[in-house]
Amino acid sequence: MKGQIGAVADGTSSKLRLLKNAGANVGRGIATGLVALALPAFLVKSLSPESFSVWALVIQIASYLSLLESGLQVAVGRFVAQEAARGDHQRRDAFYHAGLFLLLALAVIGVAGAFGAAALLSTFFPQVPPGQLSDARLALVVVGGSAALSLPASAASGVFIGLERNGIPSAIIGLGRIAQCVVTAITAHQTKSLSQTAIVFSGMALAISAAQMAAVKFFGPGLRLRGSTLTRPIFRELVCYSANLSLWTVSMLLVNGLDLPIVARFEFNHVAAYALTTSLISVFVGLAGVILNVLVPRTSSLVTLNQTAEVRRLMFNATRIASAMVIVFGIPAFFGARVILGLWVGPLLAEQGTPLFRLLLVANSLRMPFMPFALVLMGSGYHPLARLAPITEGITNVLCSLVLASFLGALGVAMGTVIGAFVGSALATFYTMPKVQDVACKPSQFLLDGIGRVLLVALPIVTLLLTYDRLPAAIKVITSLFAMLCSAIIVCTVTLTEDEWNSLKSRISTPRTAS
């Protein structure tokens, strides 16, 4: 046990493991992101406009069944990491099997829900073309059923995440998604059929889940089912932890999951454009998520070892990384939205989608710096104290989207998302953060050092982009170079902290010392 605790606490190996897992997650995120970009681009050309709109709606509704997972993957990962740090393999194995049994029960409920949703499809969405209704119902049963039956695989991924061996599920999911994209695209191109495309898509999803379950058996830590350890307290701990996470899940459903159905209700002819822009945004958010998800098991291990100062440092650094992601990905995407969408799905959908994409990008850029804070709360077990912000954001989002959609259609839904993101971010900073100072930095440090000093780097570039078209051609190059120089000066004088400067100096001087 001492050896395991020492391994977790060791600074060098700990950082290397964290970077290795983040790298594995990046690879998985890139693969998943490429699929999220490539598959809609193929389907929008292979299926009729009505079929693609129905496909987007089916995928969105089916995704609700995935929410039955209720945070159990995170819960399994957290408790596996905690018990591994303590060296208690029996409790580690018990938490995995308890999570597996709970997810199997939820999978049965999910399959029933898929049939129910298909039966009520025309009731909730009367604008679905009658000629598409039978295919839509079949697709919803198949895709929704596969989403439900894939739930138990979340426990398998949770084990590897908890043991900080992210490379295994990342490889399976990343390669599996690529294969799923290729086979689904070929099917859609050859058959032009919504129902057949859905069947192949769902079959590949089940194959990915089966591979994850097999990986636990062949590459896992030798998990054993012991009836004596699979006790009611184990289930209670797992359920209580995941029940609190499920409130966040419901909040995220209100924030992101209801947008497309609201659009379908008020302005069905914009469903395709809204779905495509949402897919593009999901790549931006998903890549950040897979990079930062390593914070949950690492935080759990550090809290178990009472290293709360290290948790605060980890959260602060991760916040600065998340803020930098907003600059690196968000700003080019905002100003290049029309070109990106035009190259991806064509000029017509680009025209509809550009204003939607920009609004949704602003909303998610507001949330992005708060992602490390949320993940640290999950890993440390403080997430029950953070209920108000996500719930309020979700309710605000839905209410504003419904009201604005009745006047502005899809554009109003996107505007409601921006308003909700602003409300949620403000509550997280000024209400939640002061309550969890054991694992979080102060709100002033979070805003000024974690976000503000990083975002200042973008100020010259954003100013240039806003005025670029109005500048004389003769000075555009000089102005661009000046803006980049100003950003570099801000990095050197404002953005980098003292610790980061010292670390940079030591890295530069090390080779000289060695020589």
Side-chain angles (χ1 to χ4, degrees), residues 386-410:
R387 296 171 183 166
L388 182 64
I391 290 175
T392 304
E393 178 181 350
I395 294 172
T396 303
N397 189 335
V398 171
L399 292 178
C400 291
S401 294
L402 285 169
V403 172
L404 293 172
S406 63
F407 296 101
L408 301 172

Side-chain angles (χ1 to χ4, degrees), residues 330-345:
I331 292 175
F334 183 91
F335 287 98
R338 193 178 300 276
V339 174
I340 294 170
L341 288 170
L343 292 173
W344 183 36
V345 293

Side-chain angles (χ1 to χ4, degrees), residues 108 110 143 153 189 193 211 216 259 261 267-268 271 289 405:
V108 175
V143 177
H189 178 72
S193 167
V216 172
D259 282 7
E267 198 173 14
F268 190 81
V271 166

Side-chain angles (χ1 to χ4, degrees), residues 82-133:
Q82 175 180 288
E83 301 308 326
R86 292 172 176 166
D88 192 336
H89 292 173
Q90 289 190 355
R91 279 177 60 85
R92 177 199 68 187
D93 298 356
F95 277 115
Y96 163 68
H97 286 104
L100 183 61
F101 290 147
L102 290 171
L103 288 164
L104 285 168
L106 291 169
V108 175
I109 297 172
V111 171
F115 280 95
L120 297 172
L121 187 64
S122 60
T123 303
F124 287 105
F125 304 103
Q127 293 189 39
V128 173
Q132 297 285 334
L133 200 54

Side-chain angles (χ1 to χ4, degrees), residues 62-201:
S63 70
Y64 300 154
L65 299 174
S66 300
L67 299 178
L68 288 171
E69 185 257 343
S70 301
L72 280 168
Q73 175 178 299
V74 176
V76 169
R78 192 246 182 183
F79 286 112
V80 165
Q82 175 180 288
E83 301 308 326
R86 292 172 176 166
D88 192 336
H89 292 173
Q90 289 190 355
R91 279 177 60 85
R92 177 199 68 187
D93 298 356
F95 277 115
Y96 163 68
H97 286 104
L100 183 61
F101 290 147
L102 290 171
L103 288 164
L104 285 168
L106 291 169
V108 175
I109 297 172
V111 171
F115 280 95
L120 297 172
L121 187 64
S122 60
T123 303
F124 287 105
F125 304 103
Q127 293 189 39
V128 173
Q132 297 285 334
L133 200 54
S134 59
D135 276 355
R137 284 176 171 151
L138 176 59
L140 185 52
V141 168
V142 173
V143 177
S146 69
L149 293 173
S150 298
L151 290 175
S154 300
S157 290
V159 169
F160 289 115
I161 292 170
L163 296 175
E164 299 192 60
R165 295 173 62 189
N166 299 46
I168 294 173
S170 293
I172 293 171
I173 295 172
L175 294 174
R177 294 291 183 224
I178 292 173
Q180 182 186 38
C181 173
V182 172
V183 176
T184 303
I186 292 173
T187 302
H189 178 72
Q190 292 182 344
T191 66
K192 313 295 183 183
S193 167
L194 172 64
S195 56
Q196 292 186 46
T197 300
I199 291 170
V200 170
F201 178 85

Side-chain angles (χ1 to χ4, degrees), residues 495-515:
T495 301
L496 291 179
T497 64
E498 184 178 352
D499 289 341
E500 288 167 340
W501 265 118
N502 292 334
S503 176
L504 182 62
K505 289 176 182 177
S506 66
R507 289 171 183 268
I508 294 173
S509 62
T510 298
R512 294 177 182 176
T513 305
S515 62

